[in-house]
Amino acid sequence: MRGEFVFAQALIIKLHDPDANIPEKKMEAHLQNQLKKKAEIMKEAEPLYVEVITRFTSPKWGLAALCRLGMMYHDVADQIQNAPVPKRLN
């Protein structure tokens, strides 16, 4: 259950929110801050799911844990790909 709570927290954190009206000068710092938050939550979630994989012998729960880990990494990859590129990198 703890893993599901942390999983939900990880998905809530968005790197970029178009409705947030963040000034261009602050966008890079905002993206870095959000990515750091997301990484910290993912770092907290990973051992919880790895424990399910290694401790329990049920293939069903092991696969479910692997899927959740994959979903978290897919979410962050998708958000990075769709985040605005800071002007200094264009």
Side-chain angles (χ1 to χ4, degrees):
M1 291 296 202
R2 173 91 177 111
E4 290 300 295
F5 175 74
V6 178
F7 173 77
Q9 285 183 315
L11 294 186
I12 287 171
I13 298 170
K14 302 297 180 199
L15 300 185
H16 176 65
D17 180 4
D19 298 328
N21 294 325
I22 298 168
E24 188 66 38
K25 289 183 179 183
K26 295 184 179 185
M27 182 58 72
E28 185 173 353
H30 173 74
L31 292 172
Q32 288 175 349
N33 185 44
Q34 292 299 94
L35 186 57
K36 185 177 178 180
K37 282 186 202 176
K38 196 164 192 76
E40 287 171 1
I41 294 291
M42 291 173 66
K43 190 175 180 180
E44 182 182 341
E46 190 166 334
L48 299 172
Y49 286 115
V50 169
E51 181 181 9
V52 170
I53 295 163
T54 58
R55 185 174 176 198
F56 301 104
T57 57
S58 169
K60 176 182 174 180
W61 291 113
L63 182 58
L66 286 170
C67 286
R68 285 298 201 207
L69 286 170
M71 291 168 74
M72 282 191 303
Y73 281 101
H74 182 270
D75 178 63
V76 75
D78 189 48
Q79 288 194 46
I80 289 171
Q81 185 174 8
N82 293 314
V85 178
K87 283 195 173 193
R88 71 177 185 89
L89 298 177
N90 279 335

